[in-house]
Amino acid sequence: MDPLRSYLGRLLLEEITPVVMVLTTPLAEAACRKSGLSFVDMLAPFSLFKKIDVPVRTASEVPYRLQMFKIRMVYASDVRKEDYEVADERIKPVVSEANEKALPDLLSDPPQLEDVLGKPEAELCPLWIKKFNRELMQTLSYSEHETFDHPVACLLVVSSMDKEPISKFVDLFNTNQLPSLLNEGIMDPQILKHYLVLHDQQEGPQDIAVNVLAEMRSTLGLNDCKLLCINSSTEADGSNTDNSWLPYIKDFMQDFASNHIIPYMEQKIRVLNQQVATTRKGFRNQIKNLWWRKRDDVPEAPNGPMYTFTSIESQIRVLGDFAFMLRDYELALSNYKLLATDYKLDKAWKRFAGVQEMSGLCYFMLDQSRKDAEYCMENAFSTYLRIGSSGQRNATRCGLWWAEMLKTRGQYREASSVYFRVSNEEPSLHSAVLLEQAASCYLLSSPPMLRKYGFHLILAGNSYYMSDQKQHAVRVYRNALFVYKQNPWSYINDHVHFNVGRWYGVLGIIDVAIKHLLEVIACSHQSLVTQNMFLNDFFHYVQSMGKKFDVYKLQLPVFNMSSLRVIHEDHRTYASDADVGVSESTWHELEEELIPSSSVVRTNWLDTQPKSSRKYKDSSVCVAGEAVKVSVELKNPLQIPVDVSGISLICQHSTNLDALTSDVSGLTLDGGEDKVNTEPSVSVFETDEENFVVSKLDIILGGGESKRVQLDVTPKVEGILKLVGIWWTLSNSVVGYQYFEFDAQKKNKKGKRGHRRSLNSSLVVIKGLPKLTGSIDRMPTKAFAGDLQLLKLNLRNHSEYAVKGIKMKISNPRFLIPGDSSDIGLKFPHCLKKHTQSEINLVPYKSTKENFKGLLFAFPQDIEIQAGATLSWPIWFHAATPGNVSLYISIYYEMESSSDIKYRTLCMHYNLEVLPSLDISFAISMSSSRLQEYIVRMDVRNKTPSESFVLHQLSCVGSKWAVSALPSCSSISSVETVSANQAVSCFFKIKDFEADSCKEADRGSYRTDMTLYPGSSGDVFDIARSPLADFHFQERYRQGKLVKGPCSLLDFVVISKAAGNSSEPSPDLQLLSHHTCHCSALSQSPVWWIMEGPRTITHDFSKSYCEVSIQLVIHNSAAHPSSVRVVTSDVMPEKSQTVHPHDPSSVQGGWYDVSLENDIKAISSAKGTQHEKQSSKSISPYVWCSLSSAQIELQPDSCARVPLKVCIFAPGTYNFSNYELQWKVHPSEGAQVDESKNGSSGSGQGHPFYVTVLQSV
Amino acid sequence: MASTACFVIVSKNDIPIYEAEVGSAPKKEDLSYHHQFILHAALDVVQDLAWTTNAMFLKSVDRFNDLVVSVYVTAGHTRFMLLHDSRSEDGIKSFFQEVHELYIKIFLNPLYLPGSRITSSHFDTKVRALARKYL
């Protein structure tokens, strides 16, 4: 790029130009004032020559032509160094003037990235900044170490009205009035003088002036005097007036510049160059200079030694500057270089820096050696900085030039760092402007460094703010906003928005202020103090707004929209809000059998749906007069409690049903952001009182607190209700609102889970319907396992219509069973007691079969719940198993009145914690001494930590079995109470009532129920009646799934009572029933045998051996005939080692030896003989005598007696157990396979049977 | 230990995923945004510089008055940035290398989503310990 065309080039051409000092008489000045201008102002437009086209010849012999030229006209009084303070005051208006221009911009939107990048450079660096830069540079004018501000010529002006103009000229150039710089010897007072007589044609004929001019020419010289005519007539403003005097000025200036100033400068350059050449150029001079300077050890002053205009250094400088002004940069550069060494040696740092600066500019203008140029500028800059405060402003100017130079060359990053360095040296206002320029440089660099841009703008903004330029501060912050938009750097974000907001507030643009402050009020990461400050400022401005205003998506508190739940009741109604959280499938399963199937399923796709249901095909339905509930979670991100009031829904209601289909889809699809644009204010939705009522909720959220709130809207008339959004008031001053975003995707996702959950914003409101509310009185939340209670289900009809056809389904009939209408008045637990003998345990399980699943319960058909009436229904509760249980109840009812919806369901849900109480287990073994009798061991363990229970009753279920205490311990009163953590075991006998073989057994001591609690024999609870029987059936069903064993013998029910701590007497008796089902004997065989015979025999062994007759009673309890073989053996089981595998008599119990060889053979011989045979060599003390083996066939459930005889040879006690039974069940035709597997054949050792034989006396 | 030291891990999307003031100077509320500004602006320089060298440790890339920004760029273009006023380059380099190891351990955690905020308190204490050791 041609340096002359660059900004810096033009700047230098305009700024570093010859100065013409102007001295005017008051009258001359007055003449100009008539036109409203000073003399200098009048000439100013004509002092710039775009195309002067003058040939110039400086030191070299080759002339060149000068195109653009400018001279600076200044009053002599201005030729002085200004105070910095005064100069700075002059700069201030430049900035603040721009301030006012910036104001309207502040109301518009902040610029975006694309806008900023697309801007041309000129816009980034507006005119006022350039002006500011110039003004800043001009504060350095007429400094003593530079000469380009020294006047080249002097223009003396008198008016033609002045008396004695000649003497006036002399007076004007009186040294007393001349600038001090001239007098102090810094500037050369011997300068070109030009004399001008100013004539206003309004004040007289031109002749006077011509006369004066002639006089001047004679005395002051022919060429240096000029006449300038002006016309100050007031009428001259119009177009018709004579402006012909203006060209005069132009001509005058042209002449002045080309014929006087430039030749004068040329002349001076040549003279000075000659002088320099003789004194400084050449080898001899250099040596001399070096030697002379070295010797000259002047004490170091900050500015070096004083140089007067006559000193050679000053003259070289003048030479250089003149050459620079006449654009002979090479000449200038060589002189500056020369000077630089001199000044360096003299340690005149300020001058050195000034010279370096100029060399840098020369290099630039020559467009050669960029590196040198930069080096010079850098050198100058750092030198200025080094000399301290006096060089500070010079450093600034140098920096500005340097930065411009870098910008011209496209080195924007370097330029901006220069600006940044400069800004550190300047007061805050200047530094702000400089920082802003630095920022714009970052933007211009490629690639644009946006973050740096933003950062420097922020720095600039802070400086502006410090120097009280708030508009500017806001402006630069605004410009930086786009850099930090959506920025995750939280502190930056907060700082920017908070400051922008605050300053907008200070400027009185409160709405924008609030908009920005809104961004920061939800700052959870800031400290409490900062949060408080943000919030206070926010509320301050909000209050100064003087009215409530709406904020879309106010961040305080945060509404968690993903937690949004819409609860509306159509077919299904809920007893409480907690019931809504239950998964859809649970209710659906419950309702499956309840609701009429026609409305749920179409049998095939050809079936047309009823018209009404098609109408609401895709939309949710709610009922007029019933609240639609919306629950949403809100969170306070701050540590400060916030007051949120008036939280309510925004709804729209339209009564036009036909609009539904199109409207609904339209609304749901364009949800979210689009809607915000089209719906500007929340006030549109404000009131529609006659169509619907919304609830309002006030809460205070503590710091960091989250709450779930429920909002209601109750439509009053039919139509369509749209849930649009939510609004709330923060601290009574800000209304925040937020729209629900139902986008299509989410809807689909939710839709899978059933239409009820989908977040459909539109609800079809249908005519009012009856609605039941239901609850269970005193439903426990905690219970001990086995707890049995009678509860009351209350159903209340709130509407004006009656409902009928009530049905109920309970998810878990183990826990809840509906009672009978007759149960309602009964007194618990006495109603469970067994009544008089009349109906004793003859009631079979009548209802159990039909209630197999026990889920569906239909209330009697005649029951209707009238409007406003309440129906109470007994319901039995039994805590079956320990654990956490959820109970679901669904109640179905139909409408009396005809409407769109024919039926509704009421969903109830209870959560229950069942604690373990008594753990009861039974062990049953066959009695070896009685047929058809079992010994039962009942282990009761109390698992509670503190409760004790009283065992009340043990019952066998069914009429087949009877229980009785063991004869030895008929009183078991010692076990009446089971204290906490204790275990108790009791033994009982049970007997098969129906065993015909045992009919003779006394019935007196056997009954199905046995009281365990002494003195309460009358208080036996009847387990054969509802509800105990029902619950038992359920238990049996459930436990049956767990039991693996083949045959179950019987079920037990133990009823216990909570003992009630002495400290806490329980008012109503707590009853617990424990059901243990499918108990079976530990070992069960189809054949049951006992030995019968005399236990004591007296015999005279002296006569003969004793013969004892005993009987083996064998009972076949299997369902099929079986054959039994009795084998006796005379060999004692003990100590037998020899094995006779094929000898049946050797198959004996007792100790056995594991021998593989035998084992295999044994298995082949007798399947089911698990115990290994053994034989004894020792002779047993008795001998079987009648038979060694007998085979009998037994019919099912029949007994047979096998007579046996034993011979005994000596008195003693004998154990006649040395026999074995082998049986085989013959399954009938078509018997199940598994029966043949299980114990169809087997064998058993004889039970011990002790007989004492005494020697008779 | 440096009196001012602000350590930030910036994900490749220019989101700070870990921030810690590890200097010995008492933490001041108003300085934290200042540090963020400097570090944020230095990202521009890092962006250019990262592609000019093979080294992960870029030394000091930017300065603001007497505060220096040193940067370490991982292979995944996650940037560890340290704003400090001390001059021990070796210490800073070791600090960065050890933090890199810690960071890799975080990265190996299958439950850590790359680019999300590092919330591990263990990481935090380790980083602070390293800062005490090296800076």
Side-chain angles (χ1 to χ4, degrees), chain A residues 126-166:
Chain A
L127 213 55
W128 68 269
I129 287 187
K130 287 184 177 160
K131 198 172 161 196
F132 165 87
N133 283 348
R134 275 189 202 205
E135 290 283 347
L136 198 63
M137 289 181 202
Q138 275 168 10
T139 58
L140 286 173
S141 300
Y142 316 112
S143 62
E144 50 196 34
H145 72 291
E146 289 158 325
T147 57
F148 51 74
D149 287 327
H150 293 187
V152 171
C154 178
L155 185 65
L156 298 133
V157 186
V158 294
S159 167
S160 55
M161 293 299 114
D162 273 317
K163 305 278 187 291
E164 297 186 47
I166 309 298

Side-chain angles (χ1 to χ4, degrees), chain A residues 413 420 424 447-452 455 458-459 483-484 487-492 495-496 526-527 530, chain B residues 8 10 14-16 19 27 29 32-33 36-45 47-48 62 64-65:
Chain A
R413 283 173 65 173
F420 183 72
N424 285 337
M449 300 174 81
L450 292 176
R451 303 184 194 104
K452 286 266 181 194
F455 181 39
I458 298 298
L459 289 173
V483 178
Y484 301 113
N487 194 312
W489 297 66
S490 45
Y491 285 100
I492 293 181
H495 172 83
V496 173
Q526 295 280 15
S527 70
T530 319
Chain B
V8 172
V10 183
D14 296 346
I15 297 166
E19 289 165 86
K27 189 180 185 305
E29 178 87 9
S32 44
Y33 78 83
Q36 276 205 349
F37 266 122
I38 297 169
L39 289 168
H40 183 253
L43 279 178
D44 266 336
V45 186
Q47 193 176 315
D48 288 359
D62 200 9
F64 182 79
N65 297 337

Side-chain angles (χ1 to χ4, degrees), chain A residues 720-751:
Chain A
I720 298 163
L721 183 73
K722 278 185 231 167
L723 303 177
V724 181
I726 198 162
W727 59 325
W728 64 96
T729 309
L730 177 65
S731 294
N732 285 323
S733 46
V734 189
V735 177
Y737 63 101
Q738 192 161 5
Y739 296 116
F740 300 141
E741 286 163 17
F742 305 98
D743 55 10
Q745 234 179 10
K746 195 194 266 179
K747 212 175 140 191
N748 288 342
K749 212 173 101 191
K750 296 257 175 178

Side-chain angles (χ1 to χ4, degrees), chain A residues 1053-1072:
Chain A
V1053 176
V1054 176
I1055 293 174
S1056 59
K1057 292 173 175 172
N1061 300 346
S1062 53
S1063 59
E1064 188 191 335
S1066 53
D1068 59 341
L1069 200 56
Q1070 204 183 352
L1071 208 62
L1072 288 82

Side-chain angles (χ1 to χ4, degrees), chain A residues 68 369 401 542 670 1170 1234:
Chain A
M68 193 197 123
S369 181
W401 274 337
V542 167
D670 72 355
Q1170 294 298 326
D1234 60 333

Side-chain angles (χ1 to χ4, degrees), chain A residues 23 88 107 174 186 197 210 235 253 282 334 424 501 517 534 633 804 815 823 883 897 955 990 1068 1107 1173 1252:
Chain A
L23 291 161
D88 288 352
L107 296 170
N174 192 333
I186 292 165
V197 61
V210 174
E235 308 86 76
M253 288 302 287
S334 69
N424 285 337
L517 284 172
F534 286 176
E633 191 182 83
K804 59 176 185 179
F815 288 84
D823 294 349
S897 61
S955 301
I990 51 169
D1068 59 341
E1107 239 182 41
K1173 46 249 127 206
T1252 307

